[in-house]
């Protein structure tokens, strides 16, 4: 029997149609989206597994049920009915609907509903494709909430916030917060589009500006403390922090966020502290700290230009009699008048300083001839000879003046002051009220500078150097808990020579390196000996010179000394000065960390006389601060010095550091330091520097006195 023509083709078409229908059915059934088909009454005729999984309802609970149990909202049903009755051939609706699962939990569906029509265009069914978008809704809500919080944080911040573009040729402002407007006086609409540097105006000679420029060029964080100017022209100090903002890929920097922190009060307070640290509180003259700096600057300038410097040390004659007869207030008034007259006798480039009591120093710079110093001294004596009215009566005061000259008498401040002091005492010995220049015969025990280097080399070879130890006292127990090792030169002809005579020379010639290494080794040997003798543990402090500290293999050298002597590194404190550690902060940090790994403690000596930044102090692994003696001299009589010492103690304790005060010479000073919370003291009131055997006896006596 033969098939009708076309039968095979029809069968093939039917087979392909069935195959496509089956494929379509599988696609709908296995779709990750929920799919339901409703009749014109809104009853569900079909739902796929995706919707069953999404809603939690079984097929029996869905098919033929009205209203739908997952979304009984009348508004949604009305939308469906509208679509089913619509004659619009493009009848379609999409939107987000909140539905309820079988377990009662709510979720969000994104729906696309379309009308199915017959051959005549009449709506017969509604097909709804559903996607669970709950997570996206939550994320969007969280993002909106987070953005709202960030905007509120920026707006309510007490710090000024400025956002700028980061293009190479465009750093214009795109946003400022209300705090920026309050701090600067500028409204947002006045600054949007301006470059952020407009706050600096023409005050461009600020070294820290380069920190910000460098950070902008390098697309990195940066900070600086800058002088900025408000809209009304008034100055304020701005602790500025900038940070880059990168795009979503993290690759390109699109903006910078600048945080403006007004620190005017803090900077003014720091400047006031610096002034108090460098000026005499009674007269306003330079004090010993500033004097030392001015002498070194004057010497450096004179050395470059071949000039002469005069150092005059002036002591008022019989001032104590005036003070005792008329009282301290009268004495203070006289000292202020003397300070005024001395300042009037010299040029602005010269320095007048008060060392304390009735001692004054004058630094005369750029003298054309050495003999000019005598003319100025005579002018000073003449000026002081005029009567001074004190508490209603005239007082006459005279002075004894000693003079030393650079470069004739020495090339560093300590020796020039020492020689001027020698000359001044010769004046007192010969009747006072006069002036004398230093001559070598006055310092018969002083070593000639030309001979000193060779003598020191021989002294190191022959073992002429010795260590003395000045006890450090715990203010709570009043026991000796440590000692500072101080080098002395036991010269065979001259006798005991103090460091002021040779340390500067040792620094200049490089002899400080073998000398410093000898000091450490000798202190280590002594510590081992005391330990073997059964003495109580005693922490030994050793001064490090700047030249020692800058050795690249410093930590290795010190470790080798500990190893060779058998000393315990934890019983040693290395004392560094502020100027040493601030010389190169990054390399200093590396060196300090290397030293800490040895087990030693680190102390910052002469604290308050340098220029430490608190931000750096927090970074350095320092264990102890030593308050310079210049703050201790008048601490019991000068409220300003007491306030400075108290601030240093409080700051140190907040950073977890121990505090030592040096130069304590009176009970009142010790009592006040104890009240301020200072941990330890050292000074002549408790003990002068002494030999190793003497301090061992002192330790033994202390042990025997303890209960």
């Amino acid at each position: 029997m033969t098939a009708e023509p076309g039968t095979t083709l029809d069968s093939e078409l039917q087979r392909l149609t069935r195959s496509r229908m089956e494929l379509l059915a599988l696609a709908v059934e296995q779709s990750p989206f929920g799919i339901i088909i409703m009749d014109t009454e809104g009853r569900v005729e079909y739902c796929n597994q995706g919707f069953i999984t999404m809603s939690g309802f079984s097929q029996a609970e869905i098919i033929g049920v009205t209203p739908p149990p997952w979304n009984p909202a009348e508004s949604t049903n009305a939308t469906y009915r509208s679509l089913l009755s619509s004659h619009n051939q493009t009848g379609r609706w999409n939107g987000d609907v909140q539905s309820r699962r079988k377990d009662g939990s709510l979720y969000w569906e994104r729906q696309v509903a379309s009308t199915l029509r017959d051959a005549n265009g009449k709506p017969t069914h509604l097909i709804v494709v559903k996607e669970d978008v709950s997570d996206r809704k939550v994320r969007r809500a969280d993002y909106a909430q987070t953005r709202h919080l960030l905007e509120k944080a920026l707006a309510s911040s007490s710090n000024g916030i400025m956002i700028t573009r980061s293009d190479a040729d465009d750093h214009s402002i795109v946003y400022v917060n209300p705090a920026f407007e309050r701090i600067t006086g500028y409204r947002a609409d006045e600054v949007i589009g301006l470059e952020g540097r407009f706050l600096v105006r023409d005050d461009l000679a600020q070294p820290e500006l380069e920190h910000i420029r460098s950070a902008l060029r390098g697309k990195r964080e940066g900070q600086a403390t800058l002088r900025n100017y408000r809209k009304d022209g008034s100055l304020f100090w701005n602790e500025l922090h900038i940070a880059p903002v990168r795009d979503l890929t993290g690759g390109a920097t699109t903006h910078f966020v600048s945080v403006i922190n007004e620190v005017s009060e803090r900077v003014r307070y720091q400047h006031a502290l610096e002034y108090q640290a460098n000026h005499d509180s009674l007269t306003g003259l330079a004090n010993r700290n500033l004097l030392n700096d001015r002498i070194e600057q004057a010497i450096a300038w004179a050395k470059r230009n071949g000039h002469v410097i005069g150092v005059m040390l002036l002591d008022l004659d019989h001032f104590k009699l005036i003070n005792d007869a008329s009282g301290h207030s009268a004495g203070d008034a006289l000292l202020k008048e003397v300070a005024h007259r001395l300042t009037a006798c010299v040029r602005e480039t010269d320095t007048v300083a008060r060392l304390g009591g009735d001692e004054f120093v004058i630094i005369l710079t750029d003298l054309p001839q050495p003999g000019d110093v005598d003319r100025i001294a005579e002018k000073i004596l003449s000026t002081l000879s005029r009567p001074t009215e004190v508490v209603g009566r005239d007082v006459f005061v005279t002075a004894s003046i000693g003079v030393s000259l650079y470069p004739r008498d020495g090339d560093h401040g300590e020796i020039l002051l020492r020689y001027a002091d020698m000359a001044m005492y010769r004046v007192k010995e010969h009747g006072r009220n006069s002036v004398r220049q230093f001559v070598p015969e006055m310092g018969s025990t002083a070593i000639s500078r030309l001979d000193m280097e060779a003598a020191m080399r021989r002294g190191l070879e022959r073992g002429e150097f010795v260590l003395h130890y000045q006890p450090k006292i715990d203010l709570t127990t009043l026991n000796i808990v440590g000692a500072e090792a101080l080098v002395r030169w036991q010269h065979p002809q001259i006798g005991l020579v103090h460091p002021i005579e040779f340390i500067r020379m040792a620094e200049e010639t490089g002899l400080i390196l073998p000398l410093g290494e000898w000091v450490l080794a000798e202190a280590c040997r002594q510590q081992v000996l005391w330990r073997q003798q059964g003495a109580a543990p005693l922490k030994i402090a050793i001064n490090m010179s700047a030249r020692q500290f800058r050795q690249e293999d410093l930590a290795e050298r010190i470790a080798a000394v500990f190893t060779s002597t058998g000393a315990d590194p934890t019983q040693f404190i290395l004392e560094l000065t502020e100027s040493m550690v601030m010389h190169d902060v990054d390399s200093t940090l590396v060196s300090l960390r290397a030293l800490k790994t040895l087990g030693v403690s680190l102390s910052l000596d002469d604290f308050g006389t340098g220029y430490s930044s608190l931000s750096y102090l927090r970074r350095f692994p320092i264990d102890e601060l030593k308050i310079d003696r210049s703050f201790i001299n008048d601490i019991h009589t000068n409220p300003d010095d007491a306030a400075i010492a108290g601030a240093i103690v409080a700051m140190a304790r907040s950073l977890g550091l121990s505090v030592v005060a040096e130069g304590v010479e009176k009970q009142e000073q010790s009592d006040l330091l104890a009240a301020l919370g200072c941990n330890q003291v050292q000074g002549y009131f408790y003990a002068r520097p002494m030999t190793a055997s003497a301090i061992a006896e002192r330790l033994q006596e202390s042990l025997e006195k303890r209960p």
Side-chain angles (χ1 to χ4, degrees), residues 472 481-483 520 523-524 527-528 530-531 535-542 562 566-574 598-601:
K472 295 168 73 173
V481 292
L520 176 61
C524 286
Q527 190 251 359
V528 171
W530 280 333
R531 189 174 65 199
L538 191 72
K539 272 209 166 187
I540 302 176
I542 296 173
F562 285 136
D568 180 4
T570 64
Q571 292 300 307
F572 285 85
I573 302 172
L574 301 182
L598 303 180
V600 299
S601 298

Side-chain angles (χ1 to χ4, degrees), residues 28 147 660:
V28 170
R147 181 167 180 172
V660 180

Side-chain angles (χ1 to χ4, degrees), residues 308 366-373 405:
V308 175
D366 300 339
L367 293 175
Q369 299 294 331
D372 291 338
V373 73
L405 296 174

Side-chain angles (χ1 to χ4, degrees), residues 587-630:
S587 63
T588 290
L589 194 55
V590 172
S591 298
L592 294 181
R593 287 172 176 166
L595 291 174
K596 285 294 292 180
T597 61
L598 303 180
V600 299
S601 298
L602 299 177
S603 175
L604 202 57
D605 197 9
D606 299 337
F607 186 79
T609 64
Y611 44 91
S612 284
S613 162
L614 288 183
S615 63
Y616 290 131
L617 192 59
R618 287 195 297 267
R619 291 173 61 193
F620 293 154
I622 299 296
D623 304 290
E624 177 186 274
L625 294 184
K626 290 191 77 173
I627 305 176
D628 186 68
R629 66 178 64 249
S630 62

